[in-house]
């Protein structure tokens, strides 16, 4: 198992990894659902029950182990949903940012704009 490049793990290797972090009973959940390293990167606590993992303490431990494997920050439970600006906390969250590309000879590319904001403005124009 190549732990230096976790995104390249196969579903079988992900199952072995889950077993190695103390949850061999869930190996088949990951293998049968085809959770490769690339897909594992997107798995969080809310997705684990869909894979068949329902024990809350196990969910917390596995979600924590996934964050450690990919060096992700824990979710900020104290962050208000009313915050004006969404800022990516890790390089993996940059994929959630939409880039509005407007150029003229006098302007540089605009700052990243959250995808939801771009969609809201598009919906406003349609109404």
């Amino acid at each position: 198992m190549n732990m230096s490049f976790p995104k390249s793990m196969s579903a079988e290797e992900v199952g072995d990894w889950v077993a190695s972090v103390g949850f061999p009973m869930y190996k088949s959940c990951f293998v049968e659902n085809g959770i490769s390293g690339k897909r594992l990167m997107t798995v969080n606590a809310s997705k684990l029950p869909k894979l068949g993992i329902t024990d809350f303490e196990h969910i917390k431990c596995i979600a924590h182990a996934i964050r450690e494997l990919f060096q992700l920050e824990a979710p900020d439970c104290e962050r208000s949903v009313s915050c004006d600006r969404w800022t990516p906390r890790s390089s993996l969250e940059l994929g959630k940012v939409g880039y509005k590309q407007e150029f003229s000879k006098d302007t540089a590319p605009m700052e990243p704009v959250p995808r939801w904001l771009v969609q809201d403005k598009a919906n406003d124009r349609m109404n």
Side-chain angles (χ1 to χ4, degrees), residues 60-73:
K60 289 189 328 186
C61 292
I62 294 170
H64 177 75
I66 292 170
R67 285 193 307 272
E68 280 187 344
L69 179 65
F70 290 101
Q71 299 175 350
L72 301 172
E73 291 181 26

Side-chain angles (χ1 to χ4, degrees), residues 2 5-11 13-14 30 34-44 47 66 69-70 72 92:
N2 188 354
F5 297 105
K7 284 190 338 186
S8 65
M9 292 192 300
S10 68
E13 289 174 319
V14 168
F30 287 85
I35 305 298
S36 64
K38 197 172 194 176
R39 289 184 71 194
L40 181 65
M41 189 169 45
T42 66
V43 173
N44 58 28
K47 294 181 182 177
I66 292 170
L69 179 65
F70 290 101
L72 301 172
L92 296 175

Side-chain angles (χ1 to χ4, degrees), residues 50-101:
K50 295 173 188 168
L51 299 178
I53 303 165
T54 56
D55 183 290
F56 185 65
E57 291 302 317
H58 293 179
I59 289 170
K60 289 189 328 186
C61 292
I62 294 170
H64 177 75
I66 292 170
R67 285 193 307 272
E68 280 187 344
L69 179 65
F70 290 101
Q71 299 175 350
L72 301 172
E73 291 181 26
D76 184 2
C77 298
E78 299 298 319
R79 183 179 179 276
S80 170
V81 295
S82 65
C83 289
D84 290 341
R85 186 169 171 88
W86 178 85
T87 306
R89 294 179 308 199
S90 73
S91 61
L92 296 175
E93 288 183 347
L94 289 175
K96 296 180 183 176
V97 177
Y99 288 89
K100 188 175 178 185
Q101 298 290 330

